[in-house]
Amino acid sequence: MKIANEYLAKVYADVEARNPGEPEFLQAVGEVLESLSPVADRRPDLIKAGVFDRIVEPERMITFRVSWVDDAGNVRVNRGYRVQFNSAIGPYKGGLRLHPSVNASVIKFLGFEQCFKNSLTTLPMGGGKGGSDFDPKGKSDGEIMRFCQSFMTELEKHIGQFTDVPAGDIGVGAREIGFMYGQYKRIRNEVTGVLTGKSISYGGSLARKEATGYGLCYFADEMLRAAGKSFEGKTVVISGSGNVAIYACEKATALGGKVVAMSDSSGYVVDPDGIKLDVIKQIKEVERGRIVEYAKRVPTASFHEGCRGIWTVPCDIALPCATQNELDLDGAKALVANGCIAVAEGANMPSTPDAVEYFQANKVLFAPAKASNAGGVATSGLEMSQNSLRMSWSFEEVDEKLHGIMKNIYAAAAAAAKEYGCEGNLVAGANIAGFLKIADAMLWQGIAY
Ligand code: NDP
């Protein structure tokens, strides 16, 4: 880590000593502290009040056993997590991830990032994240339901509409949110907006499903426009084929781009004619199948095993929308060599630090996740507002608010970068703008939190 400010370098060393064996968490903290050096140089009051030292330590980390019974009658045990990272500006808010790679490091990195992202939306939401190492792949609906019910039986003790409001993430969509919400209601006997990402029939928000992918493209569009460019006529590559990737594909296409490749964890498909999104939606949203099916159904497409090769597909714009550290230095070099002009992150921390550095050194426009994928949580915030108001807004109303929020996030990140001497660096700008609001709230609220 190249942390210029001496005080922040010491904060990072303490985090390293206190969190051994947590590489993802250290990566996320290091990247933020690196950006905050010019803030620490100017703000001795924040150092004196220990804001930097406090912001890197979660307020609370809950770990629990999740036991459930599979279809064959066997007892299965997984580990559940919820990190309640920072509540300075609102109730903890952040998704739940179900994936075998989930561990304390992954949950803490996601929770830490979430604090700054939520701050950037300007909505009153603190940062949290949770999940389990449960693998939903290949499980029956009954198994998914029993797992989700067992998970919520413990989680409900720690959450609530004014305390902590979880949502979806990898492996958690409307089906899982429904099972969890049902269990929360059964135990608490209350109907509140305790989860977001709900189905429309019981309090979900229109446009929440589309929000992260749409928001990503709204942000990328702002970034492109500021450089005198646009999506029009551009070739786009999108990794992943889940919730974020599908709606990024839809909006990128609507803005005039042509998406030529998408992936899942088994490989990627290339379709020079442009990805047919109805086919992807049928395979992924309806059948819960594998992406190789696309190449079997669409004659112009080819399937390639392994997901990292997707970055060798020539494109103007790359949208990594699968998972953390999926785009490394080799991927970045391949993109730059093929003339890529912009990268906007849909997934959380999908680019490794050396890949980000390479993009910036080669003048590729780069949109960091905590700014560019904030549309999902922003719309979750709008879902919370609608639940509190006991009313619902139209798709167009929500989409318009989302669009406005993404434009504002771009403007805030760009302005903070300029003010702190790193114009054009949206990584630094997003970290600084997100941090300052939380820091101010922490100052007002005294030292204990
Ligand atoms: P989904 O579960 O809907 O889709 C995830 C996609 O990424 C799938 O195509 C999956 O492939 C692929 N993927 C997951 N893990 C890996 C891996 N280890 N290697 C390669 N591919 C992988 O999740 P989302 O679309 O909701 O989330 C994608 C990313 O966006 C995550 O980083 C998430 O944190 C972030 N995000 C999501 C938001 C949301 O609103 N949903 C909001 C903000 C950020 P396979 O099916 O083969 O596993």
Side-chain angles (χ1 to χ4, degrees):
M1 282 299 152
K2 288 163 282 174
I3 301 173
N5 180 277
E6 213 176 300
Y7 187 83
L8 295 188
K10 169 150 185 328
V11 171
Y12 182 74
D14 287 349
V15 175
E16 236 179 350
R18 205 183 303 134
N19 301 276
E22 299 195 350
E24 294 86 359
F25 179 53
L26 295 176
Q27 182 181 337
V29 171
E31 185 231 273
V32 169
L33 292 180
E34 210 175 304
S35 305
L36 294 181
S37 281
V39 180
D41 291 346
R42 282 191 210 177
R43 295 286 304 271
D45 60 321
L46 296 180
I47 293 179
K48 184 157 185 289
V51 169
F52 297 104
D53 311 71
R54 287 187 282 145
I55 211 163
V56 294
E57 181 68 19
E59 288 174 16
R60 199 170 293 107
M61 176 77 172
I62 300 146
T63 306
F64 51 98
R65 180 180 68 202
V66 188
S67 46
W68 54 284
V69 180
D70 69 19
D71 287 347
N74 302 308
V75 175
R76 309 279 286 263
V77 178
N78 287 98
R79 184 170 291 171
Y81 300 90
R82 185 73 184 166
V83 65
Q84 298 182 330
F85 219 108
N86 193 301
S87 61
I89 60 174
Y92 309 106
K93 181 93 195 87
L96 298 169
R97 176 176 291 192
L98 299 182
H99 194 272
S101 64
V102 164
N103 55 34
S105 172
V106 168
I107 293 300
K108 280 162 66 183
F109 116 67
L110 289 164
F112 182 71
E113 293 272 297
Q114 196 79 45
C115 301
F116 305 97
K117 180 186 314 196
N118 294 2
S119 167
L120 282 169
T121 67
T122 71
L123 302 175
M125 299 182 290
K129 199 81 190 188
S132 172
D133 57 2
F134 172 81
D135 186 358
K137 269 202 205 85
K139 303 286 191 301
S140 69
D141 281 352
E143 289 175 324
I144 297 282
M145 182 177 78
R146 292 192 292 280
F147 172 84
C148 289
Q149 291 176 339
S150 179
F151 183 80
M152 183 52 85
T153 299
E154 174 60 30
L155 188 67
E156 68 84 19
K157 301 181 178 86
H158 312 284
I159 62 175
Q161 63 167 331
F162 301 120
T163 317
D164 183 353
V165 183
D169 190 75
I170 291 179
V172 177
R175 174 181 60 168
E176 292 74 20
I177 291 289
F179 291 146
M180 290 184 197
Y181 184 81
Q183 186 71 349
Y184 181 89
K185 195 161 59 61
R186 220 166 271 128
I187 296 171
R188 299 277 277 254
N189 195 24
E190 64 178 37
V191 178
T192 57
V194 67
L195 294 172
T196 59
K198 302 183 288 297
S199 277
I200 305 303
S201 55
Y202 65 96
S205 174
L206 288 163
R208 172 61 188 92
K209 184 175 67 174
E210 293 82 358
T212 311
Y214 278 23
L216 169 67
C217 293
Y218 292 147
F219 188 96
D221 195 42
E222 286 300 301
M223 180 174 76
L224 288 163
R225 278 172 197 282
K229 302 173 184 354
S230 77
F231 268 99
E232 194 61 50
K234 301 292 190 302
T235 301
V236 184
V237 162
I238 300 179
S239 64
S241 48
N243 173 258
V244 179
I246 285 176
Y247 293 95
C249 179
E250 189 164 286
K251 187 53 78 177
T253 308
L255 291 171
K258 181 160 89 168
V259 179
V260 295
M262 291 182 81
S263 65
D264 64 17
S265 57
S266 57
Y268 62 100
V269 289
V270 180
D271 186 348
D273 267 15
I275 292 282
K276 279 103 199 130
L277 196 57
D278 53 334
V279 179
I280 292 280
K281 282 185 179 175
Q282 174 65 27
I283 295 167
K284 288 293 174 182
E285 292 188 333
V286 181
E287 299 167 21
R288 296 180 188 274
R290 310 305 297 156
I291 198 126
V292 64
E293 278 302 313
Y294 182 89
K296 292 183 188 161
R297 294 179 199 182
V298 178
T300 48
S302 54
F303 173 73
H304 307 261
E305 262 181 42
C307 26
R308 286 184 189 257
I310 193 169
W311 309 120
T312 63
V313 179
C315 66
D316 303 304
I317 299 169
L319 305 176
C321 295
T323 195
Q324 63 271 9
N325 293 327
E326 54 163 316
L327 204 182
D328 60 11
L329 184 58
D330 287 342
K333 284 183 176 169
L335 285 167
V336 171
N338 284 328
C340 176
I341 58 163
V343 176
E345 297 185 322
N348 283 309
M349 206 170 74
S351 315
T352 57
D354 50 2
V356 177
E357 214 173 289
Y358 193 78
F359 289 134
Q360 292 175 329
N362 284 278
K363 306 276 175 265
V364 174
L365 300 172
F366 183 79
K370 52 174 92 61
S372 52
N373 75 17
V377 73
T379 308
S380 276
L382 300 176
E383 183 173 330
M384 288 165 73
S385 301
Q386 293 170 82
N387 292 162
S388 296
L389 292 165
R390 300 269 186 266
M391 61 184 292
S392 53
W393 298 325
S394 69
F395 188 98
E396 291 70 26
E397 278 174 290
V398 178
D399 190 34
E400 197 185 318
K401 289 184 206 298
L402 166 67
H403 199 165
I405 289 170
M406 297 315 295
K407 282 181 163 195
N408 288 340
I409 294 176
Y410 175 80
K418 191 169 175 191
E419 192 186 333
Y420 282 86
C422 39
E423 190 166 3
N425 182 345
L426 295 173
V427 175
N431 286 336
I432 293 169
F435 167 80
L436 285 173
K437 183 176 170 192
I438 304 171
D440 188 53
M442 288 172 76
L443 282 180
W444 279 106
Q445 292 171 32
I447 300 295
Y449 262 8

